[in-house]
Amino acid sequence: MVSCLSGARICHITHTLKSLINRYCYDSVIVHVGVNDLRYTSLDYMKTDTVELAEYVSQVGMFLALSSILPSPRMMPQYKQKMSDFNNWLNFCCHSKGIQYLTA
């Protein structure tokens, strides 16, 4: 099953995932996180929300892969550094927690 949560931030993904897992049986999940958080969420909250997502998926025993934020030609310049900082952190976090990290 593929579920698109257009406009969702990381905390919304975690909440929605909880309700989906209660209705369906999954053994793995691939999540593209962060792009909607760039504008409204601090880097620290993005990190905290991502860790909470990863911990939840781990608790229910599913395989998790997290995708880096992909650059967009429409991305405002002030968000490019934040994107880079988050992706660098996400790469490190995934590798230290044994989570599959996907990047372009």
Side-chain angles (χ1 to χ4, degrees):
M1 176 180 173
V2 174
S3 182
C4 178
L5 306 173
S6 182
R9 290 184 282 185
I10 300 166
C11 61
H12 302 138
I13 294 169
T14 304
H15 177 74
T16 302
L17 190 58
K18 288 178 181 181
S19 68
L20 288 173
I21 288 172
N22 288 333
R23 289 186 287 167
Y24 304 100
C25 182
Y26 300 104
D27 60 358
S28 60
V29 63
I30 300 170
V31 182
H32 176 70
V33 297
V35 71
N36 295 316
D37 290 270
L38 286 175
R39 185 170 181 185
Y40 301 109
T41 310
S42 74
L43 188 58
D44 286 338
Y45 277 115
M46 290 173 69
K47 291 176 182 180
T48 299
D49 290 345
T50 302
V51 168
E52 287 176 7
L53 171 65
E55 288 174 350
Y56 173 72
V57 171
S58 176
Q59 286 173 0
V60 295
M62 293 177 18
F63 169 82
L64 175 63
L66 294 174
S67 166
S68 65
I69 299 174
L70 303 175
S72 165
R74 299 178 308 172
M75 184 177 285
M76 299 167 106
Q78 65 264 35
Y79 301 126
K80 289 183 180 181
Q81 184 60 50
K82 189 175 180 182
M83 177 195 71
S84 177
D85 292 345
F86 181 77
N87 284 343
N88 288 336
W89 172 84
L90 186 62
N91 184 16
F92 173 79
C93 179
C94 286
H95 284 80
S96 68
K97 294 183 179 291
I99 297 169
Q100 181 68 44
Y101 177 70
L102 307 173
T103 188

